[in-house]
Amino acid sequence: MESLNPLVPVAIPFEQIRVINMCGIVGYVGPRVAQDFLLEGLRRLEYRGYDSAGTATINSERQLNITKSVGRIARLAQEVAASPCDSGIGIGHTRWATHGAATVDNAHPHLGGAETLAIAHNGVIENFAELRTSLKAKGYEFHSETDTEVVAHLIADCLSQISDSSKVSPTPEIAVDAIKKAIGQLRGTFGLAIIFKQWPDSIFAARLGSPLVIGVGDGEHFLASDAQPLIGFTERIVYLADNQVAILTADSLEVTHRDAGLVSHHVRVLDVESNQVEMGDYDHYMLKEIFEQPESLRNTMRGRLNEDDATAVFGGLNLTPQDLLKVKRVVFTACGTSWHSSLVGEYLLEDIAQIPVEVEYASELRYRNPPMDEGTLLFAITQSGETADTLGALREMKRKGHMTMAICNVVGSSIAQEADGGIYLHAGPEIGVASTKAYTSQCMALVMLSLYLGRLRHLSYNRGRKMISRIQEIPDKVELALKQNDHIAAIAKKYQDCNNFLYLGRHYNFPTALEGALKLKEISYIHAEGYPAAEMKHGPIALVDEQTPSVFVMPQGFIYEKVMSNLEEIKARGGPVIAIAAEGDERIAEVADDVIYIPQTVEYLQPIVSAIPLQLLSYHIALLRGCDVDKPRNLAKSVTVE
Ligand code: G6P
């Protein structure tokens, strides 16, 4: 977890981590070739999002056989094929880096002690730094930046203490005691799968806050971080509870409690229907990710709002307040949806921090050679951290000697590594090609950045405090906006056959209009244009007819009356209007054909709340038109070519 990469925070407190639905664990013990199940199970966990993977088995010489790779499971499968192991015991893992880059060294399983055990871990160990220091002092060597390796050595250490004091020959129960002793010292969350070369017939599992499911077969047992890998292998499952430690052999399953002895376990029948890929109750990743936004926003905010100083705190900027005071101009560069959040950032930084901002398409910036003075600070905004144009623009600015920052979701991605510093979104993996939760988290990171830069300049303590309390309300407001889902689905039905849409908004709502139009285009293939509402009369108004709906983003604000006039202009020409308006706005209901009400907030936070109904509207229209919502035609999640 400790990293040379300046973007990576050294430690994240437990309460900052609730994104457990990433990384995956599998395990197998029985007569099959373990690696076959491990690879199949890992493939089925791909939906969680991951950037590296690995397996550990125990070979016939009782040695641990570890295979790891960065990238797809297909690549891991090639590595496994190159060094096959036909043993019937093993564990596997898919990792989505949250701390420490996606490298082979950081991929799981990790070895502990003198290569006596291998471990795969989901979750985050909060107190890993202290533990690592004390284990290093005892002579344990570390080969990764992860918190997981600390757990591996800690268990090995506990095992050697117990074995030394035990007169009887070591049994697997001793390993359970060592695991219990070790997890008693951990703060944080974990789901653990462990194998010891000393006990080649047993897999050990332990959990606190990170799910583990055991599959009970005939003469075999399976382990996984959710039920998905088990489908088709067994229908009998046992959910491990917090603080339980289990030993799985081919023929037996024993579950014990950390603070007690054996506990009974309840074997359930797996309901295959409800476990069709862990999108939970959602039909698509995009919908799941839209609904995750209250939580992903909380994760972006956590630990970053300091009420005492009425400001925001960022661990990874690597710039002192003195450095930041010298910044005379900020340039945001990005592509696609991230370019829209950059526009929101422009409004925010100018409004709240009074810093001049320019927003540049990365594909343009990299070849434009614009004059940039010394006080220019560049921010590359990117969900994936891999977009080729954004990386190219960042490199060009670096070459010119400018400080470069990244606002990025994927830890250890190319842009995160090459930037001088920045802010991670912690929004969790985004799988749907159309960006949703990463967008709102980008907007949230930019709100907090403008608070921080504003407080370094003219923004008063009082205004800072007020901003913090308004920011803290946002996840709940997003939750309320999501309640409009059914109403939005009904509106989608009404307009599903239209082939042109206009999206209009002004001031902070203008980038939202652009993003709403892009979402519709991307996933429903309907032509949609976003415009500043007032600019509409300089051209796009010629498009208005009965078949061309205009989506007006117009919550309350100082510009409301002006936007209302623009709306009347559309109505006067027979264009249908769908309004995104603030709860309690009765006037709008009289003029618009359809209204989607959302909670009102301050203008600078409105882009986050207003994005929700637009995401849902696109989703439902695309669905009704039979489009592949998660994998729209011609688009890629991460565009790594120019
Ligand atoms: C692709 C995706 C878009 C995304 C853009 C920028 O075009 O389809 O959804 O907004 O890349 O991606 P980034 O990862 O840099 O934010």
Side-chain angles (χ1 to χ4, degrees):
M1 199 148 83
E2 224 172 50
S3 171
L4 299 177
N5 181 340
L7 270 177
V8 178
V10 166
I12 292 201
F14 172 47
E15 59 277 13
Q16 289 186 30
I17 301 290
R18 268 208 56 208
V19 187
I20 51 173
N21 197 18
M22 25 219 271
C23 303
I25 289 178
V26 286
Y28 176 79
V29 55
R32 301 171 198 252
V33 174
Q35 275 179 336
D36 293 345
F37 170 76
L38 300 178
L39 289 173
E40 172 60 20
L42 292 177
R43 274 188 207 103
R44 294 196 197 175
L45 291 174
E46 282 190 304
Y47 74 91
R48 287 171 173 243
Y50 68 100
D51 41 45
S52 51
T55 61
T57 51
I58 304 174
N59 66 20
S60 48
E61 280 95 51
R62 284 205 171 189
Q63 293 305 312
L64 287 163
N65 177 43
I66 309 275
T67 311
K68 306 200 267 193
S69 76
V70 173
R72 305 279 97 190
I73 300 297
R75 192 151 148 206
L76 178 69
Q78 285 170 2
E79 307 266 345
V80 165
S83 61
C85 171
D86 60 4
S87 94
I89 183 164
I91 56 175
H93 190 260
T94 46
R95 175 173 187 255
W96 193 83
T98 53
H99 315 86
T103 61
V104 169
D105 284 345
N106 287 337
H108 304 205
H110 289 285
L111 291 165
E115 306 198 349
T116 46
L117 66 95
I119 187 166
H121 165 220
N122 283 359
V124 173
I125 305 304
E126 231 183 291
N127 57 334
F128 86 102
E130 302 125 71
L131 291 169
R132 174 135 100 167
T133 308
S134 71
L135 288 161
K136 270 187 174 169
K138 288 183 176 179
Y140 289 95
E141 283 180 24
F142 286 82
H143 305 284
S144 78
E145 301 163 314
T146 64
D147 48 350
T148 304
E149 201 180 2
V150 169
V151 186
H153 285 320
L154 185 64
I155 293 172
D157 192 54
C158 292
L159 182 64
S160 75
Q161 288 170 26
I162 295 173
S163 309
D164 288 350
S165 61
S166 163
K167 306 229 168 358
V168 292
S169 66
T171 63
E173 282 66 34
I174 282 186
V176 170
D177 290 344
I179 292 167
K180 287 181 179 177
K181 193 169 173 188
I183 62 177
Q185 297 173 54
L186 301 178
R187 278 205 318 272
T189 52
F190 51 83
L192 301 173
I194 312 154
I195 50 175
F196 296 81
K197 64 180 181 186
Q198 201 171 355
W199 295 290
D201 303 321
S202 309
I203 298 180
F204 300 80
R207 79 157 262 183
L208 181 69
S210 193
L212 281 178
V213 188
I214 296 162
V216 181
D218 293 325
E220 58 186 351
H221 280 101
F222 306 84
L223 178 68
S225 45
D226 67 52
Q228 189 62 26
L230 309 182
I231 295 171
F233 289 95
T234 179
E235 286 184 345
R236 289 177 292 152
I237 58 165
V238 175
Y239 286 106
L240 210 60
D242 276 350
N243 291 314
Q244 289 186 341
V245 179
I247 316 183
L248 291 67
T249 67
D251 303 312
S252 67
L253 168 64
E254 284 183 0
V255 180
T256 67
H257 189 276
R258 191 191 71 187
D259 306 322
L262 278 179
V263 289
S264 61
H265 53 268
H266 180 47
V267 181
R268 299 157 198 261
V269 175
L270 177 63
D271 173 4
V272 176
E273 284 295 303
S274 66
N275 276 290
Q276 294 294 327
V277 181
E278 253 195 45
M279 287 192 278
D281 295 332
Y282 300 104
D283 293 334
H284 297 95
Y285 291 115
M286 182 181 175
L287 191 63
K288 172 174 171 272
E289 286 156 10
I290 291 173
F291 274 84
E292 273 172 2
Q293 287 175 107
E295 202 51 41
S296 51
L297 286 163
R298 284 188 191 106
N299 286 327
T300 305
M301 288 158 54
R302 262 191 199 109
R304 287 174 166 161
L305 294 170
N306 178 336
E307 290 181 63
D308 290 342
D309 292 337
T311 191
V313 185
F314 297 104
L317 286 180
N318 297 322
L319 290 173
T320 63
Q322 289 79 1
D323 295 332
L324 286 166
L325 276 179
K326 289 184 201 135
V327 172
K328 297 281 173 293
R329 189 166 71 125
V330 164
V331 173
F332 288 123
T333 195
C335 303
T337 290
S338 299
W339 188 80
H340 294 152
S341 64
S342 302
L343 280 184
V344 175
E346 178 180 27
Y347 282 82
L348 285 165
L349 250 64
E350 293 192 351
D351 181 17
I352 296 167
Q354 298 277 292
I355 299 175
V357 176
E358 272 169 63
V359 178
E360 304 275 0
Y361 283 113
S363 51
E364 291 299 308
L365 180 63
R366 61 187 299 191
Y367 296 124
R368 251 191 48 215
N369 197 26
M372 299 254 183
D373 56 30
E374 264 181 37
T376 301
L377 181 61
L378 179 98
F379 277 87
I381 305 190
T382 168
Q383 187 285 129
S384 63
E386 300 296 345
T387 304
D389 286 323
T390 312
L391 183 59
L394 179 113
R395 283 182 179 157
E396 176 62 7
M397 289 304 117
K398 269 189 96 154
R399 197 197 52 74
K400 289 185 168 202
H402 292 287
M403 285 294 286
T404 57
M405 300 282 121
I407 295 180
C408 180
N409 195 32
V410 179
V411 174
S413 56
S414 305
I415 291 173
Q417 289 190 50
E418 293 197 24
D420 299 304
I423 303 168
Y424 277 129
L425 299 177
H426 296 302
E430 191 179 66
I431 296 168
V433 165
S435 183
T436 52
K437 63 177 181 171
Y439 173 73
T440 48
S441 281
Q442 285 167 346
C443 293
M444 180 55 86
L446 288 161
V447 171
M448 295 188 295
L449 180 68
S450 56
L451 167 64
Y452 177 57
L453 295 178
R455 288 285 292 131
L456 284 177
R457 292 173 161 78
H458 70 286
L459 199 74
S460 70
Y461 181 86
N462 265 351
R463 188 151 180 231
R465 281 298 287 252
K466 278 189 193 135
M467 273 190 76
I468 290 180
S469 48
R470 303 317 289 268
I471 291 170
Q472 285 166 334
E473 294 166 0
I474 289 302
D476 290 345
K477 290 191 186 267
V478 166
E479 197 100 53
L480 287 173
L482 288 165
K483 294 202 186 308
Q484 293 293 321
N485 187 33
D486 291 345
H487 175 54
I488 295 170
I491 294 178
K493 217 167 194 169
K494 187 166 158 190
Y495 295 98
Q496 60 170 308
D497 295 325
C498 297
N499 289 321
N500 294 291
F501 274 72
L502 287 175
Y503 281 72
L504 303 164
R506 287 183 79 169
H507 198 237
Y508 277 109
N509 305 311
F510 163 52
T512 310
L514 291 182
E515 175 57 10
L518 180 66
K519 282 282 94 57
L520 188 71
K521 259 187 283 223
E522 282 179 311
I523 60 168
S524 73
Y525 322 138
I526 293 173
H527 170 236
E529 288 195 39
Y531 255 87
E535 187 65 19
M536 167 271 302
K537 57 187 171 295
H538 300 293
I541 198 163
L543 299 173
V544 171
D545 61 18
E546 291 77 20
Q547 299 307 315
T548 306
S550 292
V551 180
F552 271 86
V553 187
M554 50 185 304
Q556 294 297 320
F558 79 96
I559 206 89
Y560 177 86
E561 289 299 335
K562 308 243 179 225
V563 182
M564 185 59 99
S565 308
N566 302 141
L567 189 155
E568 299 280 8
E569 285 156 16
I570 298 272
K571 286 301 303 170
R573 283 153 187 88
V577 166
I578 305 166
I580 312 294
E583 271 160 2
D585 181 351
E586 288 168 16
R587 196 170 142 206
I588 192 81
E590 287 166 24
V591 277
D593 296 81
D594 291 283
V595 183
I596 302 168
Y597 285 113
I598 52 168
Q600 178 73 35
T601 176
V602 280
E603 288 171 311
Y604 57 84
L605 285 163
Q606 202 68 58
I608 299 174
V609 184
S610 304
I612 309 300
L614 299 181
Q615 295 167 351
L616 287 169
L617 185 66
S618 315
Y619 171 80
H620 287 295
I621 292 178
L623 206 63
L624 288 162
R625 289 170 73 109
C627 301
D628 185 346
V629 174
D630 283 332
K631 292 198 187 73
R633 72 181 181 206
N634 306 340
L635 299 181
K637 183 71 189 153
S638 182
V639 181
T640 52
V641 291
E642 264 195 83

